[in-house]
Amino acid sequence: MDLRSLRYFVETVRLNSFTQAAESLHVTQSTISKMVRQLEQEVGAQLLIREGRKLTLTDTGSVVYARGEEMLATMRQLTEEVRDTQSAQSGHLTIGIPPMINLLFTPVLKAFRQRHPDIALTLREDAGQALERQVAMGELEIGMTVLPADPQLGLQTAPIASYPIWALAARGTFQKHRTTLKLKALANMPLVLLKDDFALTRSLRHAFDAAGFEPQIAAQSGQWDWLVAMASAGMGVALLPEPFIHRLAIGRLDAVRLVEPELQWQAAHVWRGPYLSHAARAWLDVCRDVLRA
């Protein structure tokens, strides 16, 4: 089976468009169509049903797409491993970082650039759960998330840092001089949370389930600073890790630490399989040195 035609087919299905696949792969649309037809001839079965602009996978097409993604991910890993053996110092590394975690990594980025100036570093920002899936599919070598990671993805994990989670609300929401709040007390309060595709929200929902209550969610956002603004306006209680509490001017906010149980925001690296490139290992070493200090 020709890998190029397989790659064109997978990209067409992923984007659900011959036109967008052609743009993504920098070829003509006729080339994409020709390659997909060639793959269908090699397989001996129709893979796509074309209904106007809509593309639907046949049963055979679903199998070829699923296995094709795995094969292409394996080829990407093979390329990275071969490249890694050819250079012990130079290379390229793309790291997936969630928007919340990235604020803590400026010192790490600075140290990495000083130690490894010949390694090209690219940062890809996305929600933690999305990055986990990208790592599992081989689209990213290494990413960051908030534990626990999705166990079905079978990823390797390495904790980076752990901080308690605090509750933020408009001044006067909590009793005066209170410094802690039991988790179950949140059952009777409206909450403003990050969107469900954020790993922190996944972790919080697990905690709510374990405590036996369904949260009253007033609003959700993909921006933690907007959550703080909503909490300040009295819309609900925002739940954020300790490092972000120290970054805020909380004159109009009450801030209390969650207890019983004390919830932890555990940031971690995730990767797939036992192999890591030289560049990825160098990144992990710098993280350990800087964050441990």
Side-chain angles (χ1 to χ4, degrees):
M1 186 178 295
D2 181 70
L3 280 176
R4 187 171 63 159
S5 60
L6 183 62
R7 179 186 175 210
Y8 286 12
F9 168 71
V10 167
E11 190 71 0
T12 300
V13 175
R14 187 180 72 84
L15 297 173
N16 196 35
S17 168
F18 282 90
T19 301
Q20 292 184 37
E23 292 176 356
S24 173
L25 295 167
H26 306 292
V27 297
T28 63
Q29 185 173 333
S30 61
T31 299
I32 296 288
S33 299
K34 177 181 177 182
M35 285 296 188
V36 171
R37 286 196 301 270
Q38 177 180 312
L39 185 62
E40 289 178 325
Q41 292 171 359
E42 291 176 350
V43 173
Q46 186 175 5
L47 302 178
L48 286 173
I49 300 173
R50 304 162 181 83
E51 299 175 335
R53 294 186 176 183
K54 182 181 179 182
L55 302 177
T56 304
L57 285 169
T58 65
D59 291 344
T60 303
S62 296
V63 172
V64 173
Y65 176 66
R67 295 295 174 260
E69 281 195 310
E70 294 175 2
M71 292 170 65
L72 292 173
T74 299
M75 289 303 298
R76 284 193 293 269
Q77 183 174 354
L78 172 61
T79 301
E80 289 297 325
E81 291 181 14
V82 170
R83 187 178 299 158
D84 191 45
T85 62
Q86 295 172 340
S87 173
Q89 296 299 326
S90 62
H92 180 271
L93 179 64
T94 300
I95 303 171
I97 304 184
M100 290 190 71
I101 295 178
N102 63 8
L103 296 176
L104 305 178
F105 273 80
T106 301
V108 177
L109 290 173
K110 180 180 178 181
F112 188 84
R113 289 267 48 86
Q114 291 172 340
R115 293 191 197 179
H116 304 284
D118 295 327
I119 296 179
L121 188 63
T122 301
L123 303 180
R124 182 186 297 180
E125 290 187 285
D126 210 333
Q129 294 186 71
L131 293 174
E132 290 175 24
R133 293 190 292 269
Q134 292 170 35
V135 171
M137 291 306 301
E139 297 173 11
L140 273 176
E141 181 180 11
I142 192 166
M144 298 181 198
T145 190
V146 174
L147 296 178
D150 186 345
Q152 296 183 355
L153 298 179
L155 299 175
Q156 304 285 334
T157 62
I160 307 166
S162 181
Y163 301 97
I165 294 176
W166 288 56
L168 294 177
R171 179 68 73 190
T173 301
F174 307 128
Q175 292 178 358
K176 195 173 183 180
H177 304 306
R178 175 182 287 277
T179 59
T180 61
L181 184 73
K182 293 182 180 180
L183 178 64
K184 284 191 174 181
L186 296 177
N188 303 316
M189 299 179 180
L191 305 180
V192 289
L193 303 178
L194 291 167
K195 291 180 179 179
D196 285 336
D197 55 350
F198 281 75
L200 173 60
T201 302
R202 174 183 59 192
S203 178
L204 288 170
R205 286 190 178 276
H206 287 329
F208 299 149
D209 288 341
F213 70 88
E214 182 71 22
Q216 303 176 32
I217 300 177
Q220 291 182 265
S221 170
Q223 304 295 325
W224 68 270
D225 50 349
W226 196 8
L227 296 185
V228 175
M230 287 190 282
S232 180
M235 289 182 57
V237 178
L239 304 175
L240 294 172
E242 187 175 72
F244 299 91
I245 306 302
H246 298 322
R247 290 173 176 266
L248 301 172
I250 59 174
R252 293 186 299 165
L253 290 166
D254 285 342
V256 294
R257 182 168 49 84
L258 291 179
V259 294
E260 296 187 26
E262 181 176 89
L263 300 185
Q264 292 289 316
W265 182 71
Q266 294 182 298
H269 284 107
V270 291
W271 65 89
R272 172 181 175 226
Y275 177 82
L276 278 176
S277 67
H278 163 78
R281 293 194 302 269
W283 170 260
L284 290 177
D285 288 341
V286 172
C287 287
R288 293 188 192 102
D289 292 346
V290 173
L291 297 178
R292 185 170 51 210

